[in-house]
Amino acid sequence: AMADPRLLSRVLSNLVGNALRHASSVTVTAFRRDDGIVVDVGDDGPGITPGVDPFVRGESGVGSTGFGLWIARTIAVAHGGTLELVPSAGGACFRLTLPSSSGGS
């Protein structure tokens, strides 16, 4: 994937930092697909309340400004990717997807 390493680091730091703040265990998994790369950041914390959009700018949990996930998603989209909350059996799992630099070839 073609990405600005400084901005990608900001996205991953936000995701891992949030997970560490709310959980005792954090798992980061990265894998390649034909169309790009995927990075999952999951935790065993309390999860996200159903129906709540964690990417809404300025809305936050305790001790947060409410801008981190919004900024992280904005960076992902600017790179042609996505950042989403994915279903998880326990805790929360955020998935960063970035397209292949070669357009999938």
Side-chain angles (χ1 to χ4, degrees), residues 61-78:
V62 176
S64 172
T65 63
F67 287 99
L69 287 172
W70 177 79
I71 291 169
R73 179 181 260 179
T74 300
I75 292 169
V77 169

Side-chain angles (χ1 to χ4, degrees), residues 3-4 10 15 19-20 24 27 36 40-41 49 64 67 69 91 96 99:
D4 180 318
R10 184 167 182 175
L15 296 176
L20 289 171
S24 60
T27 303
D40 286 345
V41 178
T49 304
S64 172
F67 287 99
L69 287 172
L96 170 65

Side-chain angles (χ1 to χ4, degrees), residues 16-68:
V16 171
N18 282 348
L20 289 171
R21 244 188 322 280
H22 299 287
S24 60
S25 176
V26 177
T27 303
V28 179
T29 307
F31 56 95
R32 185 181 182 126
R33 296 191 312 204
D34 288 340
D35 60 344
I37 63 164
V38 176
V39 180
D40 286 345
V41 178
D43 66 52
D44 66 352
I48 307 293
T49 304
V52 170
D53 182 354
F55 301 103
V56 173
R57 181 175 61 175
E59 292 190 18
S60 69
V62 176
S64 172
T65 63
F67 287 99

